Amino acid sequence: MSKPSLHRRGFLRAAAGTAAGTAAIAAGAGALAAPAAARGRGTLVPRGRIGLQLYSVRDQIQQRGFTPVLGELADLGYKYVEFAGYTSPAEPDMTVPKLRQLLDANGLRAGGSHLGLDVLLNADTREREFENAVTLGMEYVGTASDFPGRTAAEIQAGADRFNESGEVARGYGLKVYQHNHTNEFGPVSDRPGERRHDVFLKGTDPRYVFLELDILWAFGASIRFRDQLGEFDPLDYVNAAPQRYIAFHVKDGVQDPAQTNQYRDVVFGQGELDFRRFFSGLRAPGVPLYLWEQDRAPQEPQGSIWAAEESYDAIRALRRRPGC
C-alpha cells in the first residue's frame, strides 16, 4: 500500500489546528480541560496506556520503514509500541539508537519487544538484547515463543531458565515476560488434569518473570482444551495475580474451528469477544499496557494502517455501560 498523503486523523488535526489554537487563547487552558475530562469518563482503557504490537503493521515497516510508520501511528493516538524486530529493508541503515530517536521525536514509548526464546534465555545473547531494551527505554522485554516442556519436570526446568534470565534482566532495570498462544494452556503430559500454564506460573519467580496475556488466544485455549480440561475464564488468571500481568494483547476475533487457536483475528470491534465485560472485571484496571494486535491486519483490503486506526478508535470507545 502506498503511503497516504493525509489519513483521516491527520486531516482532522490539520483542519482543526488553527481554530483550536485561537480557541485556546480566547478561552484559556482551563476551559479546554473540562470537556476533555468529560470525554474520558467511563472509559475502560486509559488513553495513555494504549499501544500496539508492530507485527500488526509489519508490511508497512518492511515496505516503507520505521520512520513514516511510527509517525503515522503516533498521529493516530498510540502511545506505546511493542517491537518484533529492529530492522527494515526500506531503511537498511536503521539502528537501535536511531529507533530511540524516532520514538522520542514522535512522543512514543517502547512498551516491550518479542525476542526468540533462545535469544531471551541464553546467556550469550540475552545481555546484548537487554542493552538494546535499555537504549530504547523499555521496562519489559519478552518472547512470544511457547515456554519449554511438556512434562511437569520439563516445564519447571524451563521456568528455571526464565527465572535466571529475569534475575539478570532485573539488573538492567527490566522485567522479562512470556506471551501466550493456546498451547500454554494445554495439559501437562504426565499430569493430564493440570494445565501447562499453571505449572509454569507456579514455577516462575514473581520478582523476575511476568506475563503478557493475549486475550483472544486465551479464550481460544479455553475452547481448544475444554474436552480435556474444561473451560476457563482468562479474567480469573489476571485477577488471581494482577501484578504478574504487565500487558494485554487486545486482539478481537471470530470463532473458526479450522484455526489452531480457535479464532480468526479481525479488526478490533468487529469480533465476538466481550471486552467490556473483561476490562470491567479487572481488579487492578489501568496498570497493564493495552497493546492492539491483529496478525492478519496486512490482509485487510484497506490496509494495516487503516486497521490500526479503526482498532484504536474502537478501543478508545469502550465504556463501562453503553451510552455513558
Side-chain angles (χ1 to χ4, degrees):
M1 184 177 76
S2 61
K3 180 179 178 180
S5 59
L6 197 64
H7 55 68
R8 176 165 58 90
R9 179 94 17 92
F11 172 79
L12 293 174
R13 285 188 180 179
T18 303
T22 303
I25 294 172
L32 294 177
R39 285 195 300 271
R41 288 195 198 105
T43 57
L44 283 169
V45 179
R47 181 177 182 179
R49 303 294 286 175
I50 300 176
L52 79 160
Q53 165 52 251
L54 290 175
Y55 184 75
S56 304
V57 293
R58 61 194 179 277
D59 61 321
Q60 294 301 298
I61 291 174
Q62 293 296 298
Q63 294 168 21
R64 301 194 285 127
F66 286 99
T67 301
V69 173
L70 291 182
E72 290 172 18
L73 294 173
D75 192 40
L76 295 180
Y78 287 100
K79 302 301 182 184
Y80 286 85
V81 296
E82 182 180 43
F83 284 91
Y86 306 131
T87 62
S88 165
E91 293 179 308
D93 61 342
M94 182 58 66
T95 64
V96 169
K98 287 181 179 179
L99 280 174
R100 176 59 188 269
Q101 292 172 5
L102 277 176
L103 293 176
D104 293 345
N106 288 287
L108 293 169
R109 295 184 62 185
S113 184
H114 283 183
L115 307 175
L117 184 67
D118 289 338
V119 172
L120 179 65
L121 300 184
N122 288 351
D124 58 346
T125 55
R126 64 190 176 206
E127 296 206 36
R128 179 178 179 181
E129 292 300 331
F130 294 163
E131 291 170 359
N132 285 337
V134 170
T135 298
L136 288 165
M138 294 179 192
E139 296 178 50
Y140 315 114
V141 61
T143 182
S145 299
D146 191 359
F147 51 76
R150 298 297 168 187
T151 68
E154 291 169 350
I155 296 169
Q156 182 57 60
D160 290 341
R161 293 181 66 197
F162 269 87
N163 288 334
E164 179 188 359
S165 189
E167 186 172 7
V168 174
R170 189 177 185 182
Y172 288 82
L174 299 167
K175 297 176 180 178
V176 163
Y177 64 91
Q178 195 270 339
H179 161 23
N180 66 278
H181 291 80
T182 56
N183 288 334
E184 291 87 344
F185 294 93
V188 180
S189 63
D190 56 347
R191 297 182 191 172
E194 192 169 358
R195 296 186 190 278
R196 296 177 62 241
H197 181 80
D198 297 350
V199 175
F200 180 76
L201 192 60
K202 293 174 186 175
T204 47
D205 191 323
R207 296 175 298 173
Y208 304 135
V209 181
F210 299 83
L211 299 159
E212 177 180 70
L213 184 74
D214 189 303
I215 299 171
L216 183 67
W217 297 156
F219 276 100
S222 179
I223 297 171
R224 180 181 175 187
F225 298 110
R226 62 187 169 192
D227 291 343
Q228 298 160 277
L229 296 166
E231 293 192 31
F232 68 93
D233 187 346
L235 180 62
D236 293 338
Y237 275 100
V238 181
N239 284 337
Q243 73 284 357
R244 301 291 300 272
Y245 289 87
I246 51 87
F248 298 130
H249 268 198
V250 183
K251 180 185 296 176
D252 207 351
V254 295
Q255 285 196 46
D256 183 353
Q259 304 296 322
T260 301
N261 289 325
Q262 301 300 305
Y263 281 92
R264 175 171 51 83
D265 56 319
V266 299
V267 172
F268 188 89
Q270 298 182 10
E272 301 171 353
L273 264 61
D274 187 352
F275 284 96
R276 180 178 289 110
R277 182 198 71 84
F278 186 91
F279 291 138
S280 295
L282 293 173
R283 292 179 182 170
V287 175
L289 296 178
Y290 297 76
L291 304 173
W292 168 70
E293 184 184 40
Q294 185 188 351
D295 297 4
R296 297 171 182 267
Q299 300 174 31
E300 292 291 340
Q302 292 172 275
S304 59
I305 297 296
W306 170 84
E309 181 170 9
E310 293 294 310
S311 295
Y312 178 87
D313 289 346
I315 292 169
R316 284 285 297 139
L318 284 174
R319 296 292 189 273
R320 294 188 180 279
R321 298 183 306 277
C324 70

